[in-house]
C-alpha cells in the first residue's frame, strides 16, 4: 500500500486488529502482490514510477545493486521483506543477525527472490550452509553500510552522495515513515539541473521538446472548451447541427420547451470538462514533463489515450461533429509529438523537508483526491455507456417531461444527436479523471504548487459550470447532482488539507 493509504488508514487498522498485526498484514499484503510480476509492476507504478539514476548503483559486500538503498531485517521477516521490497524501491535486503538456528528460515526465504540478498553473520558455519543460496555476506562492521532506524529522507539522500555508501532501513523506520520512503529518497538523491524556460525553446518546431507540444495540446483544449461554451451560451446550434436535425432552435423549443435547455446543460458541462483537461495537461507539461518527471509524461499519455479515441463514438451515434473532428485532427499530432519526443533529464530542485504532521495531513488530502478521480472515472464510464445505449437516465426524462419514444416521434435524429453529446461528455470525463487520479497519485510532493493549482483549476471548471447550468435551467434533482456535490466536497477538503504541503516554500521548514 502506498503512503496515501498507509498513513491515513493505519490508525483505523491498528484499532481493529492491533498495531503489530496490522503491520504484519500490510507487509504480507505487499509481499503477496509483489511476488507476482504483474503485481510487482502495479506496485512500482503506484509508488510513483521509480527511475533511479545510475549514480545510485553500487555494491554491498561485493554484490552489485541497482540502488544503494535497502532494508535490514531479522530472519523472521526475511520471506515477506524479500518479496515486498523490490517493487517499492529497495535495491537490496540484508537479513541478520543470522545464527545456525536461522539457516533453514533464510534458505526458504531466499528461494524465488527478485532482489539481492545478503546475510549478516560472524559464523563461518552459517556462511558455509548458505553460500549457495544467498548473494553475499556482511559482518556488521562495514564502514560504508549505514543501518538506520530514524533517518530522514534528506539525511539518507545526503548519505548516498558517497558512491560507496549503502543505506539500509530498519523495520522501525519503514513503520514510521511509510513504504513510500524509498521512492522519496531516490527522488531526493537524483541529481538535477535548472528547468528550461520558454525563451530557451527555438523557433524551429522540429526541435521543440516534448513539454512544448504537451503545452500546446493543453492550451488547445482550453481554447476549444471556451469556444464550445461561447457557442452553447450563444447560438447553441451551429449550421451542421441544424442540417443534421433538419430543425431550427425555435422549432426544437416549440417541440419541447425544456429540450434546448437540456442540450445546453450537456454542452456546458462538456465545455467545462474540456477546459479542465486543458488545465491538467498544461500543468503536466510545464510542471512535470518540462522538469523530467517520467510519471508526468505517462499520466499525460494515459489520459490522452483514453480521450482521443472517444472521437469514434460517432460510429455508435451516427453523428459526426465537424468542429470536434477538426479539433482532434489538429491536437492529436501534437499529442503524439509530446509522447514520442525523448524524455527530459531530471530538472527539478530538491525541496527541504517540512514538518511530518504537514505531510500526514497532505496524505489524507491525496487520498481524497484519488478517490475523487476514481469516482469521476467510474461516472464517465457510466455516462459513456448510457450515451451509447439508453441515452437518457430517468431524471432526464422527468425534466424533459417526455419519454424516448416521444422524442423520436418529434425527430428520429434527435436521440442520436443527444447521444453524441452525452457519450462525448462521458469520454472527456474519463480522460480528465485519469489525469486527476494519476496526478494526485504520483505528483504529491512538498513545494509542488503546480499540482495544487492544476487540480484546483480543473475542479473549478469541471464542477462549477455543471452546478450553475443545472440551477439556471432548474434541473435540480438531488440524486442526479449528488455525485457532483460529493466531488466538490472531497476535492475542496483534499486541497485544503494538502495546500500547506504542496504550496510550501523553502523557508517553511
Amino acid at each position: 500500500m502506498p503512503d496515501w493509504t498507509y498513513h491515513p488508514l493505519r490508525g483505523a487498522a491498528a484499532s481493529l486488529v492491533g498495531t503489530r498485526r496490522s503491520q504484519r498484514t500490510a507487509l504480507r499484503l505487499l509481499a503477496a502482490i509483489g511476488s507476482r510480476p504483474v503485481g510487482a509492476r502495479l506496485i512500482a507504478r503506484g509508488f510513483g514510477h521509480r527511475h533511479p539514476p545510475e549514480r545510485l548503483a553500487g555494491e554491498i559486500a561485493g554484490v552489485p545493486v541497482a540502488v544503494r538503498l535497502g532494508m535490514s531485517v531479522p530472519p523472521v521477516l526475511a520471506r515477506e521483506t524479500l518479496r515486498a521490497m523490490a517493487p517499492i524501491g529497495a535495491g537490496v535486503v540484508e537479513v541478520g543477525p543470522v545464527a545456525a538456528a536461522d539457516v533453514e528460515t533464510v534458505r526458504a526465504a531466499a528461494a524465488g527472490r527478485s532482489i539481492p540478498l545478503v546475510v549478516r553473520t560472524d559464523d563461518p558455519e552459517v556462511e558455509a550452509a548458505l553460500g549457495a543460496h544467498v548473494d553475499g555476506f556482511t559482518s556488521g562492521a562495514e564502514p560504508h553500510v549505514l543501518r538506520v532506524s530514524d533517518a530522514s529522507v534528506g539525511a539518507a539522500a545526503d548519505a548516498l552522495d558517497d558512491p560507496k555508501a549503502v543505506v539500509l532501513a530498519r523495520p522501525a523506520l519503514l513503520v514510521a515513515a511509510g513504504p513510500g520512503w524509498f521512492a522519496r529518497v531516490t527522488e531526493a538523491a537524483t541529481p538535477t539541473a535548472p528547468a528550461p524556460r520558454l525563451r530557451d525553446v527555438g523557433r524551429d518546431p522540429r526541435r521543440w521538446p516534448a513539454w512544448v507540444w504537451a503545452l500546446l495540446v493543453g492550451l488547445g483544449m482550453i481554447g476549444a472548451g471556451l469556444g464550445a461554451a461561447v457557442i452553447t451560451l450563444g447560438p447553441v446550434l451551429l449550421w451542421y447541427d441544424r442540417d443534421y436535425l433538419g430543425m431550427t432552435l425555435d422549432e426544437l423549443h416549440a417541440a419541447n420547451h425544456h429540450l434546448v435547455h437540456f442540450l445546453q446543460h450537456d454542452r456546458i458541462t462538456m465545455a467545462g470538462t474540456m477546459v479542465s483537461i486543458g488545465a491538467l495537461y498544461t500543468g503536466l507539461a510545464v510542471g512535470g514533463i518540462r522538469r523530467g518527471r517520467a510519471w508526468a509524461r505517462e499520466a499525460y499519455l494515459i489520459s490522452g489515450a483514453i480521450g482521443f479515441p472517444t472521437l469514434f463514438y460517432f460510429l455508435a451515434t451516427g453523428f459526426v461533429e465537424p468542429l470536434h473532428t477538426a479539433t482532434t485532427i489538429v491536437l492529436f499530432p501534437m499529442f503524439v509529438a509530446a509522447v514520442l519526443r525523448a524524455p527530459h533529464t531530471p530538472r527539478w530542485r530538491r525541496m527541504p523537508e517540512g514538518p511530518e504532521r504537514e505531510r500526514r495531513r497532505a496524505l489524507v488530502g491525496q487520498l481524497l483526491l484519488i478517490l475523487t478521480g476514481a469516482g469521476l472515472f467510474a461516472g464517465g464510464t457510466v455516462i459513456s455507456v448510457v450515451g451509447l445505449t439508453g441515452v437518457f437516465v430517468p431524471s432526464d426524462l422527468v425534466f424533459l417531461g417526455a419519454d424516448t419514444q416521444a422524442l423520436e416521434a418529434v425527430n428520429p435524429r434527435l436521440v442520436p444527436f443527444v447521444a453524441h453529446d452525452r457519450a462525448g461528455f462521458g469520454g472527456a470525463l474519463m480522460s480528465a479523471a485519469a489525469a486527476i487520479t494519476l496526478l494526485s497519485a504520483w505528483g504529491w510532493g512538498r513545494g509542488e504548487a503546480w499540482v495544487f493549482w492544476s487540480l484546483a483549476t480543473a475542479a473549478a471548471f469541471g464542477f462549477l459550470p455543471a452546478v450553475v447550468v443545472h440551477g439556471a435551467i432548474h434541473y435540480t434533482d438531488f440524486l442526479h447532482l449528488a455525485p457532483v456535490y460529493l466531488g466538490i466536497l472531497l476535492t475542496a477538503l483534499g486541497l485544503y488539507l494538502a495546500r500547506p504541503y504542496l504550496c510550501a516554500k523553502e523557508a517553511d521548514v
Side-chain angles (χ1 to χ4, degrees):
M1 53 181 62
D3 283 359
W4 46 266
T5 57
Y6 175 78
H7 283 298
L9 303 180
R10 61 184 295 200
S15 299
L16 289 173
V17 299
T19 301
R20 182 87 175 195
R21 184 175 297 175
S22 66
Q23 292 169 359
R24 289 300 298 269
T25 300
L27 179 61
R28 287 170 179 165
L29 179 62
L30 277 174
I33 300 173
S35 62
R36 293 166 174 78
V38 173
R41 286 194 292 270
L42 288 175
I43 292 175
R45 291 180 180 276
F47 276 83
H49 287 247
R50 295 177 296 100
H51 296 275
E54 292 183 2
R55 69 181 289 271
L56 292 187
E59 64 176 41
I60 176 173
V63 179
V65 295
V67 184
R68 293 176 284 113
L69 193 64
M71 281 286 290
S72 179
V73 298
V76 69
L77 296 178
R79 187 179 188 280
E80 289 87 356
T81 302
L82 282 166
R83 285 152 180 76
M85 290 302 106
I88 66 174
V92 62
V93 170
E94 178 193 66
V95 177
V98 175
D102 303 314
V103 167
E104 288 304 319
T105 299
V106 175
R107 186 178 294 166
R113 66 188 180 279
S114 60
I115 186 173
L117 166 62
V118 297
V119 166
R120 175 158 49 94
T121 184
D122 293 319
D123 189 339
E125 293 184 4
V126 171
E127 291 190 21
L130 291 174
H133 302 278
V134 303
D135 299 292
F137 296 91
T138 59
S139 64
E142 294 80 5
H144 296 292
V145 178
L146 309 177
R147 300 171 181 86
V148 293
S149 298
D150 58 358
S152 66
V153 168
D158 290 340
L160 292 173
D161 285 340
D162 180 351
K164 296 181 179 180
V166 178
V167 178
L168 300 178
R170 296 186 186 275
L173 187 154
L174 214 60
V175 167
W181 185 79
F182 294 107
R184 293 165 59 211
V185 172
T186 299
E187 180 171 307
T190 300
T192 62
R197 298 165 297 180
L198 193 59
R199 69 181 68 174
D200 301 325
V201 178
R203 297 183 178 181
D204 186 354
R206 294 173 298 178
R207 298 183 181 274
W208 285 355
W211 72 270
V212 173
W213 291 110
L215 173 61
L216 290 175
V217 175
L219 295 177
M221 288 296 296
I222 292 173
L226 294 176
V230 169
I231 292 170
T232 304
L233 295 174
V236 184
L237 300 180
L238 293 180
W239 73 94
Y240 55 79
D241 296 319
R242 295 191 295 269
D243 289 344
Y244 176 79
L245 289 172
M247 298 178 71
T248 65
L249 199 65
D250 291 337
E251 289 172 332
L252 282 175
H253 189 74
N256 184 312
H257 65 282
H258 289 304
L259 192 52
V260 173
H261 287 158
F262 186 82
L263 294 175
Q264 284 181 309
H265 114 280
D266 260 357
R267 293 189 164 192
I268 281 292
T269 308
M270 172 68 167
T273 303
M274 292 172 65
V275 175
S276 295
I277 294 172
L280 292 165
Y281 285 5
T282 299
L284 286 169
V286 177
I289 299 173
R290 180 174 68 100
R291 292 183 171 135
R293 304 279 190 182
W295 60 261
R297 179 173 173 269
E298 295 184 24
Y300 170 83
L301 168 61
I302 292 170
S303 174
I306 293 170
F308 279 107
T310 60
L311 170 68
F312 295 102
Y313 279 172
F314 77 84
L315 295 175
T317 63
F319 176 49
V320 182
E321 185 181 15
L323 279 185
H324 185 178
T325 304
T327 300
T328 303
I329 291 173
V330 170
L331 295 182
F332 184 68
M334 300 180 188
F335 171 78
V336 173
V339 171
L340 294 184
R341 291 296 168 99
H344 302 293
T345 56
R347 291 179 178 271
W348 62 81
R349 56 191 181 83
R350 179 171 151 191
M351 188 74 173
E353 292 180 86
E356 181 63 11
R357 182 180 179 183
E358 180 184 89
R359 186 178 81 92
R360 299 286 179 88
R361 282 168 52 92
L363 289 173
V364 177
Q366 184 180 16
L367 176 59
L368 295 177
L369 264 297
I370 291 171
L371 290 175
T372 301
L376 289 173
F377 190 88
T381 303
V382 171
I383 292 170
S384 292
V385 171
V386 170
L388 295 173
T389 55
V391 183
F392 301 101
V393 296
S395 59
D396 293 337
L397 300 176
V398 171
F399 173 75
L400 290 169
D403 57 21
T404 304
Q405 291 72 25
L407 295 173
E408 290 174 338
V410 171
N411 186 330
R413 288 189 168 185
L414 186 56
V415 173
F417 184 78
V418 174
H420 169 270
D421 288 351
R422 181 61 55 87
F425 167 57
L429 185 57
M430 291 167 62
S431 177
I436 291 168
T437 304
L438 298 179
L439 175 57
S440 300
W442 297 338
W444 236 241
R446 191 167 190 272
E448 301 291 338
W450 69 271
V451 173
F452 176 88
W453 291 112
S454 296
L455 290 170
T457 304
F461 281 98
F463 288 128
L464 295 184
V467 173
V468 171
V469 73
H470 278 83
I473 68 173
H474 305 293
Y475 185 178
T476 55
D477 182 272
F478 179 78
L479 291 179
H480 180 75
L481 289 171
V484 178
Y485 297 144
L486 180 60
I488 292 173
L489 177 63
L490 293 178
T491 302
L493 181 57
L495 291 176
Y496 169 77
L497 292 172
R499 188 178 188 279
Y501 179 74
L502 292 176
C503 297
K505 302 184 184 302
E506 288 195 26
D508 302 334
V509 180

